Amino acid sequence: MPDLPEPSPDLIALQRAYDRAHAAASAYADAVTAERRALHPDPDTGWDPKQAALRNAWPVEQADQLTRLQAERLTALKALTGHPEVAAARYNGTLKSLRARLQDLAQDH
């Protein structure tokens, strides 16, 4: 397999934007899940379906915020995967190598 050219700065920036959006959505979901679990714990006697239902029913504001964060993540992913260098790598069969290199470069910042 030929050596890959160095990804362009704009592609690296798109990877970083996606990484930030993914981290934000994941962190928010984890935080709300932990908050809901603390508010509605299972009793010491074991699993309680009523508490589980309360845990899983997010307030509208929190659900809306997660939906916004997920939309931002999807927008960032579409920008990343729609980049011409990604399309070329997909066509040339080098997408896996490009993704690994992008992730390495994005973390170096």
Side-chain angles (χ1 to χ4, degrees):
M1 183 183 308
D3 288 336
L4 289 175
E6 194 69 13
S8 64
D10 64 317
L11 183 56
I12 297 167
L14 288 173
Q15 178 68 51
R16 289 181 180 137
Y18 171 74
D19 290 346
R20 285 190 304 273
H22 179 72
S26 296
Y28 186 76
D30 290 347
V32 173
T33 298
E35 175 187 317
R36 302 296 299 163
R37 187 171 301 281
L39 288 171
H40 304 287
D42 283 326
D44 293 337
T45 56
W47 185 74
D48 180 354
K50 290 180 184 176
Q51 293 294 11
L54 289 170
R55 253 195 319 271
N56 292 321
W58 287 24
V60 172
E61 302 81 24
Q62 289 177 321
D64 287 348
Q65 176 64 10
L66 180 59
T67 298
R68 281 190 293 277
L69 291 169
Q70 289 171 330
E72 290 173 11
R73 177 175 57 192
L74 182 57
T75 298
L77 180 61
K78 286 179 180 179
L80 176 63
T81 59
H83 192 281
E85 289 176 51
V86 174
R90 191 178 301 116
Y91 178 78
N92 295 326
T94 58
L95 183 58
K96 185 175 180 179
S97 298
L98 176 64
R99 288 184 64 209
R101 180 70 180 129
L102 271 175
Q103 289 172 347
D104 288 344
L105 290 169
Q107 290 176 359
D108 288 346
H109 188 266

